[in-house]
Amino acid sequence: MKRLIQHGLMFGNLFHVASPALVERYNRALKHLTGKTTALTDFHVDISGFSPEIGDDLGDDHYLNHAGVNRQFILLSTEQKRCPLLHVKFSTSRDILRRFIEVNERQLFALTATDAVAGELVNSVFEVSSPAKLFDIRQVRIEADTTRGTLRHADHLAELVEQFKTGEDAWFDDDLIEKMIATAEQTGDVTRNPVHLEHEVFEQGNFWTAHFGGLYVFQDVGHPAVIASGAKPEGVPLKHVFDLSERNAIARFLEVNRLAEPVIRARGVDGAAILRQKMGFLAVSVLTEKGRDLTGLSRSDLRRMAARHADELPAEFEGLAALVRWADGGGSWPRITSDHPAYFYSLRASDTPCRDLVNMLLAELCPHDFRQMFICHKEEFYRQYRGWPETKKAYAAEFLAREYAVDKAGARQALFGHEPDMEGRMPKLPRSQRQGLVERVGPWGAVNRVRGR
């Protein structure tokens, strides 16, 4: 994994904690949440305040998420909203934390100027010993305060102020006035500068979880289902439970709920160009798995190598080629059903509230497209990367660092048409710029640009 770390593809875009003041605040929050501290004076944290260096120092990568359900967090800066979430257990967690920071950004900016904010994503369960318990998690709320209890004291001061304003003879109550003065020394003047966080309740209807081998839970759609990456879970309160081998059932599920659409007919993207890229990734994936070194090959070289080894390429390659021939006007419409290996490669998520979750599922159903897997399902990408041959690892890391990482938002927009960036914004690109980017973010275009051909 060192190659990914060196290219900034793993543990990248984290918040750097190096000043003694921030380290001291972090340790105060860490002690408050876990009873532990770290001797490190320089480390990086994700959006939740988890640090891979501290995880190594403590010998516990789950020191802020022990049961994998109610994730704790430490905020040192509102800049953490731009960071990724590491060791993801629920696909909704990062978005919930980001929205919490954005809704309370002004207040959190003031609070983190002098202290750390520590808290927890609180579900309605404390452990998930069985798959059925996942369905008890319908809402997630956030509990947070500074390590000195600023918010708790502010709420208490607000109650005292209200009592002072409305209570009979409160003006002459010396004990009440002394309590107000003592509490105000900890919080400041809450009448002029209110200290309050909006603790929004977040619905969790459709989500992915790493528990039980990986499960996609779709319960807030017209036709609910659970899709398992591994063995089917037992005892879940839904009628339809599939595993990834049940392609017809998954295809039908996506169709009846209108969760996916053919790339070739999607609005806002150059479908034929994207399918050509997928063909390239298929060829690269298979050839590198067979140990062939593709470093430095030009676009023409890659295509010639793919042609020479056509008998080694998977059926997905020819299926996508048939779709491209139809799009270019040189072939008949190919009948590619869900039984065909190319079927899920030809889809992308529709523009629905489930789009990120569906693109995540499609990435797992299309294992040869390592670019989509890296964008949409990093946990699965890292898991599969560990088992790849060195030639494939080298090519994938170099390609992603050179072509995807330099313009993440633009690449998502070009490929998916409605993919938000790390801050949840929807990027807008002119059609001419979008088409040019599509040509650049595929394996052929990437090599072409580097070689100047």
Side-chain angles (χ1 to χ4, degrees), residues 419-436:
E419 203 56 21
D421 65 11
M422 287 291 285
E423 297 184 43
R425 295 187 299 248
M426 302 298 285
K428 303 292 184 183
L429 294 177
R431 180 173 177 80
S432 58
Q433 184 180 350
R434 182 174 66 241
Q435 288 177 326

Side-chain angles (χ1 to χ4, degrees), residues 162-180:
E162 184 64 21
Q163 183 180 342
F164 180 76
K165 289 180 178 179
T166 59
E168 185 176 353
D169 296 328
W171 286 84
F172 307 102
D173 188 337
D174 291 339
D175 288 339
L176 176 61
I177 293 173
E178 287 180 7
K179 289 179 182 177
M180 290 171 59

Side-chain angles (χ1 to χ4, degrees), residues 1 364 373 377-388:
M1 309 303 281
E364 195 163 354
M373 189 174 293
H377 198 342
K378 283 187 175 57
E379 297 297 313
E380 180 64 15
F381 174 86
Y382 296 142
R383 188 189 71 80
Q384 293 204 15
Y385 179 91
R386 291 183 178 93
W388 289 349

